[in-house]
Amino acid sequence: MDTGTLCLLFLLLAFQLPLCISFLPENETDRLSLLAIKDQIKHDPFGRLKSWNESSHFCHWLGVTGGRKHQRVVQLSFNDWELAGRLGPDIGNMSFLRVIDLQNNSFSDRIPPELGLLFRLQMLLLMYNKLIGEIPVNVSRCSRLQKLNVGDNNLTGKLPVELGFLSNLRELVLQDNHILGEIPSSLANISFLEVIYGSSNNFQGDVILNRFRGSLPHNLGETLPNLTYLGLGGNQFTGLIPSSLSNASNLNYFDIGANNFAGRLPTFARQQNLQRLILDS
């Protein structure tokens, strides 16, 4: 083969190569991860996951939002789809995820620790499911997390102390589980925190479903200037109500009813926005 022929072949390959690359999937990892999630879902009464097929790009599948720039999955939203199944470890492979909204379904089994790989995650909304086990310590690695909502599940164990590393957290919702132990004092380090909701309002006879034991961190009101909602009713707290709560000037909802607190109430003169104060039982 002479030099001219070789040059011609080289030019042909050079012009054809970009055309070949353009037909490759933009991100095979995200696509395969979504299909693995679909395989773990055993009940889809509205058939919404039928759209998850090769007829369209995975960023156009129902419940999936893709980023415009990178065509990576940035949001999963299955709110009120009545899905049943489990959330497998493959979700940790979608590294561009910012929002996971699986509220109002019947996801069971444990929260996968692989969620800790999602360093871009800002919202983890798992309320109203059937999840069991403990909140994974690895969630504390999601340094951009702003909302952690795992209320109304069957979670057990203690709150990880490492949640105090979530410096951007604004909402921590835990109500109606079987969580034990104290509120970690490390939470008092999260200055952006606005909502702490750990109450148990769903009684069955005399049984309180969500049980914390111990007292509240004594410096809760001093280090959380943005706290607006503190709901911890229906637990087994003991000891004194922290006097530092009188410094939480933005508080508008405060519920510590149905506990075992003793002593005097803090002064609430600074709480000009306080709308509900619940101290019953």
Side-chain angles (χ1 to χ4, degrees):
M1 187 177 295
D2 57 30
T3 304
T5 304
L6 285 173
C7 290
L8 181 61
L9 287 173
F10 177 79
L11 288 172
L12 288 172
L13 287 173
F15 281 107
Q16 289 179 3
L17 187 58
L19 295 176
C20 294
I21 292 176
S22 68
F23 287 106
L24 292 175
E26 291 173 336
N27 189 279
E28 188 70 0
T29 301
D30 281 7
R31 188 183 72 86
L32 293 176
S33 298
L34 289 170
L35 292 176
I37 290 172
K38 179 182 179 181
D39 287 342
Q40 296 292 325
I41 295 174
K42 307 305 180 185
H43 184 62
D44 176 18
F46 303 113
R48 287 171 173 157
L49 295 180
K50 291 180 180 179
S51 71
W52 290 27
N53 56 57
E54 301 301 328
S55 65
S56 61
H57 190 277
F58 59 82
C59 284
H60 299 144
W61 293 352
L62 283 178
V64 179
T65 302
R68 294 181 180 179
K69 182 178 180 181
H70 299 291
Q71 291 292 291
R72 300 289 303 274
V73 178
V74 297
Q75 179 170 333
L76 289 180
S77 182
F78 307 153
N79 194 335
D80 205 21
W81 283 20
E82 298 183 20
L83 300 176
R86 63 185 294 269
L87 191 60
D90 302 274
I91 196 168
N93 295 329
M94 291 184 283
S95 58
F96 277 70
L97 268 174
R98 292 179 174 84
V99 177
I100 299 175
D101 184 359
L102 309 183
Q103 299 178 105
N104 301 296
N105 287 286
S106 295
F107 283 97
S108 55
D109 212 333
R110 298 177 180 272
I111 300 174
E114 288 78 9
L115 288 172
L117 299 172
L118 304 177
F119 65 92
R120 292 182 174 90
L121 193 63
Q122 298 175 13
M123 296 184 188
L124 180 58
L125 310 176
L126 304 175
M127 190 173 180
Y128 295 116
N129 279 284
K130 298 178 180 180
L131 297 167
I132 63 172
E134 301 183 9
I135 298 174
V137 174
N138 289 3
V139 171
S140 63
R141 298 178 182 175
C142 302
S143 59
R144 301 182 188 181
L145 199 62
Q146 297 178 18
K147 294 185 179 182
L148 176 57
N149 186 332
V150 294
D152 284 276
N153 280 284
N154 296 307
L155 299 176
T156 56
K158 297 181 178 181
L159 286 184
V161 175
E162 292 80 2
L163 291 183
F165 296 145
L166 297 174
S167 58
N168 292 302
L169 195 64
R170 286 169 168 77
E171 295 184 14
L172 179 61
V173 180
L174 310 161
Q175 92 283 355
D176 291 310
N177 280 287
H178 307 279
I179 300 173
L180 302 172
E182 298 179 354
I183 295 282
S185 59
S186 60
L187 294 186
N189 299 325
I190 308 176
S191 60
F192 289 115
L193 203 55
E194 300 172 4
V195 174
I196 301 176
Y197 185 23
S199 293
S200 172
N201 301 315
N202 183 20
F203 290 94
Q204 295 182 352
D206 294 329
V207 180
I208 298 175
L209 297 182
N210 189 14
R211 299 178 182 272
F212 293 91
R213 301 181 185 276
S215 298
L216 298 178
H218 67 89
N219 59 344
L220 201 61
E222 295 172 352
T223 59
L224 300 179
N226 297 304
L227 192 64
T228 61
Y229 190 109
L230 181 59
L232 297 171
N235 290 288
Q236 292 190 349
F237 285 110
T238 60
L240 301 174
I241 301 170
S243 60
S244 65
L245 286 173
S246 61
N247 296 318
S249 58
N250 290 315
L251 201 63
N252 60 48
Y253 183 98
F254 182 41
D255 174 14
I256 55 168
N259 280 286
N260 295 305
F261 286 111
R264 297 184 177 183
L265 286 174
T267 301
F268 290 106
R270 298 183 183 180
Q271 276 75 13
Q272 300 299 317
N273 299 313
L274 190 61
Q275 298 179 17
R276 296 197 69 183
L277 176 62
I278 302 173
L279 306 168
D280 63 299
S281 302

